[in-house]
Amino acid sequence: TQQTAAALELPFETDRRIAVGASAADVLGAVGWPERAETVIVVGHQPTLGRVAALLLAGAEAEWSVRKGAVWWLTTRHREGAQQVVLRAVIAPELL
């Protein structure tokens, strides 16, 4: 994960709360989802990233596959008084 984050050539932080074995809720808590105003990039591994995607998009952790090297772009919006998660893009590694 450190090598992948370094390849982005952006400053980054390592948060021990989301080490191996972290739950999807641990990851979301560490990044301040959904309250945080600025963009956050989460770099990680399976099965944690698949569980985060499932929790955000389906409402419960599940064993979803997130392809190695892929980018998932998720945001939130408020509509009709409710907060919604929006999947903006999923980009396979060969398209990056």
Side-chain angles (χ1 to χ4, degrees), residues 49-84:
L49 293 179
R51 292 175 181 156
V52 170
L55 179 59
L56 290 175
L57 295 170
E61 284 193 36
E63 300 301 315
W64 284 15
S65 177
V66 171
R67 193 160 165 214
K68 188 175 187 174
V71 173
W72 288 51
W73 177 18
L74 296 116
T75 62
T76 60
R77 69 177 176 203
H78 285 46
R79 181 170 282 172
E80 298 177 9
Q83 182 172 307
Q84 299 175 334

Side-chain angles (χ1 to χ4, degrees), residues 16-61:
R16 301 269 179 229
R17 293 177 292 174
I18 57 173
V20 174
S23 69
D26 293 334
V27 173
L28 297 178
V31 301
W33 179 275
E35 294 83 16
R36 193 169 189 156
E38 62 269 359
T39 299
V40 175
I41 299 172
V42 176
V43 178
H45 295 286
Q46 285 292 87
T48 306
L49 293 179
R51 292 175 181 156
V52 170
L55 179 59
L56 290 175
L57 295 170
E61 284 193 36

